[in-house]
Amino acid sequence: MTNDLPAGYEISTDPARLDAALIHQWLAEDAYWARGRSREKQDRAIACSLNFGVYDEASGAQVGYARVVTDESTFAWLCDVYIAPVARAKGLGTALAGAVRDHLAPFGLRRVMLATADAHGVYAKVGFDPLATPEKWMVLGEQ
């Protein structure tokens, strides 16, 4: 398992560093799972989550984002993982997923979940596996 962060980048959980307008633009305009999400809804999601930003060390610009919904005791949901197109193919997505995993490890969570249509390989590199018994899981809402 790896979370090697490429040189020149840093990951922070400091909410003051987040560029909420940029995060909203990325997700509402480019992310298949959040396309059309309102700014109000996105701001509320940020406010009620543990947030991770990826930043270019030289410029300080935000180039990635992820958020986690968790009780910090038994469960977490990793979502809204996004790397800006200009920063892709550098291993930042894997590094971000690894940083989330490592940040959550001390809580001793029973389960950390996520859903992805196209990035299974990224998450597998940091230890995520497909559901062993998907027939046990149910959903209320969009699928």
Side-chain angles (χ1 to χ4, degrees), residues 23-136:
I23 293 166
H24 175 256
Q25 179 184 341
W26 286 339
L27 297 177
E29 295 178 11
D30 191 40
Y32 68 85
W33 65 90
R35 198 164 286 122
R37 184 182 291 170
S38 73
R39 175 68 191 268
E40 177 185 21
K41 188 173 288 266
Q42 184 59 51
D43 287 349
R44 190 172 51 230
I46 290 171
C48 296
S49 299
L50 171 61
N51 300 280
F52 293 77
V54 182
Y55 304 91
D56 180 290
E57 287 181 327
S59 68
Q62 187 169 354
V63 298
Y65 176 72
R67 70 183 183 91
V68 176
V69 180
T70 184
D71 59 11
E72 296 184 351
S73 181
T74 63
F75 181 82
W77 179 262
L78 172 58
C79 52
D80 289 344
V81 179
Y82 187 90
I83 301 297
V86 298
R88 290 183 185 159
K90 298 178 182 183
L92 291 172
T94 300
L96 180 54
V100 169
R101 177 202 60 212
D102 295 348
H103 185 92
L104 296 175
F107 299 132
L109 303 174
R110 179 175 181 184
R111 182 174 291 114
V112 178
M113 303 286 298
L114 64 82
T116 183
D118 57 2
H120 296 81
V122 169
Y123 299 108
K125 289 177 187 175
V126 298
F128 283 87
D129 291 312
L131 288 173
T133 54
E135 67 277 3
K136 288 184 179 181

